[in-house]
Amino acid sequence: MTSVTAYAAPSEAAPLEKTVIERRELGPHDVLIDVAFAGICHSDIHTVRGDWGPRQYPLAPGHEIAGTVAAVGSEVTRHAVGDRVGVGCMVNSCGECRACLRGEEQFCSAGAVFTYGSVDRDGTVTQGGYSEQVVVTETFVVRIPDAIPLDRAAPLLCAGITTYSPLKRWGVGPGSRVAVIGFGGLGHMGVQIAHALGAEVTVLSQTLGKKDDGLRLGADHYHATSDPATFRELRGAFDVILNTVSAEIDLGAHLRLLDVGGTMVCVGLPPAPLPVALNALIGGNRALAGSSIGGIRETQEMLDFCAEHGIAAEIEVIPASEINTAYERVLASDVRYRFVIDAATFA
Ligand code: NAP
Ligand code: ZN
């Protein structure tokens, strides 16, 4: 075992603090990564604060990891020392079940091992990327294209794939009318990716405060959900709505913005269940769907797509000492558009 410095929550109510965690010795298929940057996903906050159920503490979150390979196990073939690499929300799966063979490791029938707070194959609880180094099995490490700086690449490992995957699955392309609800970490990636796929993109944000950024990042239209006129003017206007909101919203009102046969795909996961307005679904042959991150193959595809289209996250780089302040700003929707921790400040 190797001790590394990390930032972890000691309990669900306490702020994150500097601590020391253990990383396993390199197995034959393991890659040791020097973390350069770790993004702060709203899921980190939901998880450490117990929104999604009880956890084991201390818990170091972080599943948007970008860095360089520091060492490789004896049988590693995919990565070499010095490679620019990323790790997202998963670090292992059985590799043999139908979901894994389809490339959807997040649905592994034996249970995917998530990057933090998950029981690993050796029985230990995984610790995430808010740390100096991570050890990950080579098949869960992806290559970061040279065109994307590591700090702006880190958020792609969750926010990028979580928005790319459903947009692809619902066939978004030229001629698609897409709305993105919530212009935060996921939302600002969804807008850029939907635009690059050729769609006509509308942002539905609580206010018009971030309109200039929305239009700059590829949105064609930008509306405030605090204005009741939005729901009258845009009734039936979209083929696909990507809902990235981390809190409760009126699903029925938003579903009615779909055209007949349209789909709302939810990726935001608020703490409490939302009531579903069945009349808004039935009265328009509309569908309500969910989507969970994306598989490893598709994550590599997304990174290559972003490099090709000149897309990356808009970030605010912070030292580790500002993690708790950043959490409060994310909760206040005051993020433009992803906080990324500079791992040089963990030590
Ligand atoms: P984020 O940066 O905080 O963005 C969420 C956005 O939702 C905010 O910027 C805000 O947008 C909007 N919002 C927040 N509170 C709201 C409220 N009360 N009413 C209406 N809109 C509100 O968070 P994120 O990192 O993008 O994550 C978003 C959600 O996706 C979280 O629940 C996260 O856990 C989840 N997630 C899911 C997956 C998955 O695999 N499905 C993966 C990653 C994250 P405006 O300021 O524009 O209104
Ligand atoms: Zn995430």
Side-chain angles (χ1 to χ4, degrees):
M1 297 285 231
T2 308
S3 300
V4 299
T5 304
Y7 270 68
S11 73
E12 71 177 45
L16 275 71
E17 59 186 31
K18 193 171 178 171
T19 185
V20 170
I21 60 171
E22 301 298 323
R23 295 299 187 192
R24 67 172 179 262
E25 292 305 324
L26 278 195
H29 293 285
D30 282 338
V31 175
L32 173 68
I33 300 167
D34 283 334
V35 179
F37 296 98
I40 294 181
C41 177
H42 205 123
S43 300
D44 301 346
I45 305 174
H46 286 307
T47 304
V48 299
R49 301 220 166 158
D51 285 354
W52 294 340
R55 299 287 156 167
Q56 199 169 314
Y57 297 89
L59 177 57
H63 59 205
E64 294 185 335
I65 303 167
T68 51
V69 174
V72 294
S74 56
E75 288 172 39
V76 167
T77 55
R78 293 173 175 231
H79 307 286
V81 172
D83 284 359
R84 305 166 84 247
V85 293
V87 176
C89 301
M90 298 179 280
V91 289
N92 218 337
S93 72
C94 82
E96 292 166 0
C97 71
R98 293 223 305 262
C100 286
L101 293 176
R102 270 201 315 273
E104 294 183 329
E105 298 88 350
Q106 68 271 41
F107 306 121
C108 173
S109 61
V113 179
F114 293 98
T115 306
Y116 56 82
S118 202
V119 178
D120 210 339
R121 296 267 175 269
D122 60 7
T124 59
V125 174
T126 54
Q127 298 288 0
Y130 295 7
S131 67
E132 295 174 293
Q133 293 184 313
V134 283
V135 175
V136 181
T137 189
E138 64 169 325
T139 43
F140 285 77
V141 177
V142 290
R143 188 177 34 78
I144 295 179
D146 289 339
I148 313 178
L150 288 182
D151 51 359
R152 299 187 63 204
L156 302 179
L157 277 303
C158 175
I161 183 60
T162 301
T163 51
Y164 180 84
S165 184
L167 291 170
K168 291 288 283 191
R169 192 169 326 117
W170 270 276
V172 166
S176 309
R177 297 162 300 166
V178 174
V180 177
I181 320 177
F183 194 60
L186 266 57
H188 94 290
M189 287 313 310
V191 167
Q192 294 186 78
I193 292 168
H195 174 70
L197 289 168
E200 179 181 351
V201 184
T202 300
V203 175
L204 301 172
S205 182
Q206 292 168 93
T207 70
L208 296 180
K210 297 178 276 190
K211 181 175 178 179
D212 291 348
D213 288 337
L215 299 182
R216 176 172 57 82
L217 293 179
D220 301 283
H221 317 281
Y222 200 105
H223 293 268
T225 52
S226 53
D227 180 356
T230 293
F231 293 92
R232 287 195 301 275
E233 283 169 23
L234 298 180
R235 201 177 167 102
F238 304 110
D239 304 305
V240 173
I241 297 178
L242 181 66
N243 174 9
T244 75
V245 176
S246 49
E248 185 169 346
I249 57 166
D250 178 349
L251 275 187
H254 290 82
L255 281 166
R256 289 186 182 88
L257 304 182
L258 286 169
D259 201 351
V260 172
T263 299
M264 177 191 287
V265 54
C266 295
V267 288
L269 183 55
L274 298 188
V276 178
L278 288 178
N279 54 353
L281 290 178
I282 292 168
N285 283 3
R286 301 181 177 106
L288 179 62
S291 189
S292 173
I293 49 175
I296 299 300
R297 224 169 23 230
E298 198 176 34
T299 301
Q300 187 65 61
E301 177 187 309
M302 174 275 308
L303 286 166
D304 295 340
F305 175 90
C306 288
E308 188 187 325
H309 291 271
I311 295 173
E314 299 269 306
I315 56 167
E316 210 176 306
V317 176
I318 58 162
S321 56
E322 286 175 22
I323 292 173
N324 294 300
T325 318
Y327 273 25
E328 294 312 317
R329 285 186 53 195
V330 171
L331 289 169
S333 300
D334 177 24
V335 50
R336 299 191 179 202
Y337 285 86
R338 203 53 143 185
F339 289 108
V340 171
I341 309 159
D342 180 352
T345 64
F346 284 129

